[in-house]
């Protein structure tokens, strides 16, 4: 079955770049997503990348996809205290009725 | 703004007392999902509706039911909540198609006393 893994915790200083990594096993994934969850809140869609792309940039966010290694990363430039949250990567195979398989989540802590 | 709305945001119920959580959407999406998220865990899909078609996950307990009376609304019914059902319940919607992105509501935190 599908498996998506992330490191549990990342701490960065305000103003530095953050890189959150994710590995997945389903080679037939069609889209890969990054969601942000602040304490007590729902999941906010940050960005997504189609599996035939290598990179996608959206303002401070850069997503890199290495399909050969099944590795996805989210880079946040100029990290701010408001970026402190849990970040989930998720993959979907549209052949399975668009069911998201979530990673375990990475808690990003931004320090001053 | 088009959005996914969940009510209430916080729900307290007693052990064994039925409870209903509500989700509505103004996105006109044809797919609606219910997830359960326990502390420090990823969301776990309970079931989803594709239009009126109900799709239950194999490991979703019978204690959890759902209703979708129309496109905009979807309800999660927990018939006899146990202490282990205390969690955040997330509703999501998507428009089935080439990019089937799911949009989430703010969640309802359920406490079982």
């Amino acid at each position: 079955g599908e498996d998506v893994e992330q490191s549990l915790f990342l701490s960065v200083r305000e103003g530095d770049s953050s890189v959150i990594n994710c590995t997945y096993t389903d080679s037939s994934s069609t889209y890969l997503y990054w969601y942000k969850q602040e304490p007590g809140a729902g999941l906010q869609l940050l960005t997504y990348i189609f599996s035939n792309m290598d990179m996608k940039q959206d303002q401070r966010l850069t997503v890199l996809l290495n399909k050969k290694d099944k590795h996805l990363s989210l880079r946040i430039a100029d990290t701010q205290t408001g970026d402190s949250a849990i970040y989930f990567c998720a993959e979907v195979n549209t052949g399975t009725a668009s069911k998201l398989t979530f990673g375990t989540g990475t808690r990003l802590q931004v320090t001053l | 703004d088009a959005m996914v709305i969940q009510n209430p945001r916080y729900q307290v119920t007693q052990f064994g007392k039925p409870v209903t959580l509500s989700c509505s959407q103004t996105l006109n999406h044809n797919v609606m999902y219910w997830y359960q998220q326990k502390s420090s865990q990823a969301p776990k899909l309970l079931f989803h509706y594709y239009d009126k078609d109900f799709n239950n996950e194999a490991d979703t307990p019978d204690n959890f039911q759902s209703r979708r009376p129309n496109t905009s609304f979807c309800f999660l019914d927990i018939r006899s909540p146990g202490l282990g059902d205390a969690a955040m319940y997330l509703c999501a919607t998507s428009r089935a198609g080439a990019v089937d992105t799911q949009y989430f509501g703010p969640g309802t935190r359920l406490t079982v006393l």
Side-chain angles (χ1 to χ4, degrees):
Chain A
E2 304 92 355
D3 194 20
V4 182
E5 294 192 357
Q6 302 176 236
S7 53
L8 290 180
F9 185 76
L10 176 66
S11 180
V12 298
R13 288 194 160 200
E14 188 178 39
D16 288 349
S17 292
S18 309
V19 179
I20 302 170
N21 295 301
C22 173
T23 58
Y24 60 98
T25 58
D26 187 355
S27 58
S28 58
S29 297
T30 49
Y31 288 93
L32 296 124
Y33 297 87
W34 284 103
Y35 285 90
K36 175 184 180 183
Q37 187 175 35
E38 298 184 25
L43 273 68
Q44 175 194 351
L45 176 67
L46 288 178
T47 187
Y48 65 88
I49 189 168
F50 188 46
S51 58
N52 68 353
M53 298 170 64
D54 298 324
M55 186 182 87
K56 181 178 181 181
Q57 187 154 4
D58 184 0
Q59 299 182 330
R60 291 191 298 123
L61 305 179
T62 302
V63 179
L64 294 177
L65 176 61
N66 181 328
K67 196 172 181 182
K68 174 177 170 289
D69 295 337
K70 300 189 184 68
H71 182 266
L72 180 74
S73 67
L74 174 69
R75 179 178 180 269
I76 306 172
D78 188 24
T79 311
Q80 302 298 306
T81 54
D83 295 324
S84 294
I86 298 176
Y87 290 80
F88 290 97
C89 67
E91 60 94 17
V92 66
N93 178 342
T94 53
T96 57
S98 299
K99 293 183 185 179
L100 283 172
T101 300
F102 285 95
T104 46
T106 299
R107 181 179 295 276
L108 175 64
Q109 179 184 65
V110 182
T111 59
L112 296 174
Chain B
D1 287 339
M3 58 193 335
V4 182
I5 302 160
Q6 291 189 242
N7 285 305
R9 294 292 312 279
Y10 302 91
Q11 176 73 58
V12 180
T13 190
Q14 291 180 331
F15 183 94
K17 185 175 181 182
V19 67
T20 294
L21 309 182
S22 169
C23 178
S24 63
Q25 52 124 346
T26 60
L27 297 161
N28 203 31
H29 284 171
N30 57 340
V31 190
M32 295 187 76
Y33 307 78
W34 278 105
Y35 289 85
Q36 179 192 65
Q37 186 182 27
K38 296 192 176 180
S39 183
S40 302
Q41 295 184 19
K44 177 180 179 298
L45 181 64
L46 295 173
F47 26 60
H48 73 278
Y49 272 96
Y50 190 119
D51 293 322
K52 293 184 179 180
D53 293 333
F54 178 70
N55 298 272
N56 200 29
E57 292 301 296
D59 56 355
T60 297
D62 292 340
N63 197 26
F64 292 88
Q65 304 286 319
S66 186
R67 296 170 284 134
R68 189 179 185 186
N70 53 52
T71 301
S72 301
F73 284 86
C74 195
F75 300 99
L76 170 62
D77 300 309
I78 308 176
R79 293 193 295 190
S80 182
L83 298 179
D85 297 328
M88 174 78 93
Y89 289 89
L90 297 166
C91 174
T93 74
S94 71
R95 180 187 302 279
V99 183
D100 203 347
T101 301
Q102 293 186 27
Y103 295 89
F104 284 79
T108 295
R109 180 161 298 282
L110 178 68
T111 299
V112 181
L113 301 177

